[in-house]
Amino acid sequence: LSSPDGQATSPEVQIGAGGVPLAAWEELDNGLLTARVARLGGETPTIACTDLDRAGGESAGPRLAGGSAPMAALVDLDRNEIRLARVP
């Protein structure tokens, strides 16, 4: 799931709605720390990961919350805040 040349850490897996596994991790990508998520199954599995940070920003520490509308809490390092992002 992570980039072949990236440095990924802090993986987490949760079960979402309908038993679909979700994964979250943080990865160093082009010098920026990025929180990422992926759906691992279901009708529309994610082939590539989704970045949760704002374009050109840094984020870390993603934690998943499953359910019918899965979310991830993450630390927005640019704004020094914790925020929620929908898992696509």
Side-chain angles (χ1 to χ4, degrees):
L1 294 173
S2 62
S3 302
D5 57 345
Q7 296 175 346
T9 63
S10 304
E12 180 184 7
V13 176
Q14 286 260 350
I15 302 300
V20 175
L22 309 168
W25 66 96
E26 59 189 36
E27 185 171 346
L28 189 60
D29 187 8
N30 292 321
L32 298 174
L33 195 56
T34 303
R36 295 191 164 143
V37 295
R39 288 182 187 260
L40 304 177
E43 291 181 25
T44 55
T46 301
I47 294 171
C49 64
T50 301
D51 294 349
L52 295 178
D53 59 329
R54 295 173 177 90
E58 286 192 279
S59 56
R63 298 294 179 260
L64 293 168
S68 60
M71 302 288 288
L74 60 131
V75 179
D76 185 324
L77 297 173
D78 298 313
R79 297 182 180 201
N80 294 319
E81 65 184 16
I82 296 173
R83 65 181 185 87
L84 292 174
R86 186 176 168 279
V87 175

